Amino acid sequence: MTRTILAASTALFLAGCSGATATPAANNPGNGGAARQVASGDPAHPTVIELYQSQGCSSCPPADAVVNKIADRPDVIALSFAVTYWDDLGWKDIFGSPAFTARQWDYAHAAGRGSVATPQVIVNGRQPVLGSREGELNDAIARNANKSGPEIAASGNQVTVGAGKGDATVWVVRYDPRTINVAIRAGENGGRSIPHRNIVKQLVSVGQWHGSSASFALPASQAGLQTAVLVQQGKGGPIIAARKI
């Protein structure tokens, strides 16, 4: 089941809707099948793919599989954010964080949407896509790739964002690059084992960038995590530059 969370004034209420599953790609060329060429972006300006999902959502495993599949593409930074609004329905996501739920709401509010849902992918902070639709996701990656943007460099415990245009927040994301199989013991996915990749463990704003070259201190990290830096214009706004460091 897909779960949609709606905002009504200051209250939240729930509305269930039918789940969406991925159609096998080989049988559906229009959905990213073997017959079509996948357009790639620019590895020098990778496109950020943010999957919002939960282990308690039966519609999420197909989206997990799609994002896991593209995680090694050099033109993509794939990040999996575990949200918390499924946690009261039988299974609490072991990676969930209210901060990740809040980030998904930032995208909804910025776009004038009154709801959030799983599984949802946000492409470079610009376009929402149903996470299980591989063809639509590949198209969105090609459409929303950055052709330019401020350069990002790292040295020691600092990251530098080069000169460019505009104002933006600099985010540091730490994620686990391993494939982690999680045995689900209850809820909609009870009895299944779900493989996760690039699970986000830390999301920190390290400062504001105002168009001039500026350096920011990196927060402490846990061993084994990889780091990505995102330069994002406003809450829920477009990501204008990103880099793995």
Side-chain angles (χ1 to χ4, degrees):
M1 182 178 72
T2 300
R3 194 181 199 193
T4 303
I5 306 299
L6 304 171
S9 65
T10 59
L12 297 181
F13 61 93
L14 308 182
C17 51
S18 60
T21 57
T23 303
N27 297 325
N28 187 4
N31 194 38
R36 71 185 276 202
Q37 181 80 26
V38 175
S40 61
D42 179 3
H45 302 94
T47 301
V48 179
I49 305 304
E50 300 180 43
L51 170 62
Y52 291 89
Q53 53 78 30
S54 173
Q55 294 163 3
C57 165
S58 63
S59 296
C60 287
D64 292 326
V66 167
V67 174
N68 290 352
K69 178 179 176 181
I70 69 171
D72 292 324
R73 280 176 52 170
D75 62 322
V76 161
I77 298 175
L79 303 170
S80 183
F81 289 88
V83 298
T84 54
Y85 47 84
W86 281 89
D87 286 357
D88 61 334
L89 296 183
W91 178 260
K92 185 174 181 179
D93 194 301
I94 64 173
F95 303 122
S97 169
F100 305 157
T101 303
R103 182 169 174 83
Q104 190 185 21
W105 270 112
D106 286 342
Y107 282 122
H109 292 150
R113 295 189 297 271
S115 66
V116 293
T118 53
Q120 183 182 61
V121 171
I122 304 292
V123 181
N124 250 1
R126 297 183 177 97
Q127 182 177 349
V129 178
L130 181 62
S132 54
R133 293 180 177 170
E134 184 178 356
E136 290 184 14
L137 177 55
N138 283 323
D139 289 345
I141 292 169
R143 281 196 302 271
N144 292 283
N146 289 318
K147 306 301 182 184
S148 62
E151 297 298 319
I152 300 171
S155 179
N157 67 344
Q158 285 199 323
V159 62
T160 299
V161 179
K165 295 181 179 179
D167 294 275
T169 300
V170 180
W171 294 97
V172 172
V173 185
R174 263 48 184 270
Y175 61 96
D176 193 328
R178 300 173 298 166
T179 298
I180 302 173
N181 286 289
V182 179
I184 311 300
R185 300 186 185 90
E188 288 192 358
N189 289 315
R192 301 182 65 174
S193 181
I194 301 177
H196 297 279
R197 288 192 68 186
N198 293 10
I199 283 288
V200 175
K201 297 294 189 72
Q202 185 182 45
L203 175 68
V204 180
S205 169
V206 294
Q208 295 296 123
W209 173 82
H210 300 293
S212 300
S213 180
S215 295
F216 306 88
L218 293 170
S221 181
Q222 304 171 29
L225 299 185
Q226 289 191 347
T227 300
V229 176
L230 317 180
V231 182
Q232 184 169 27
Q233 292 183 326
K235 270 192 172 184
I239 293 171
I240 61 171
R243 183 182 171 183
K244 297 177 187 178
I245 63 172

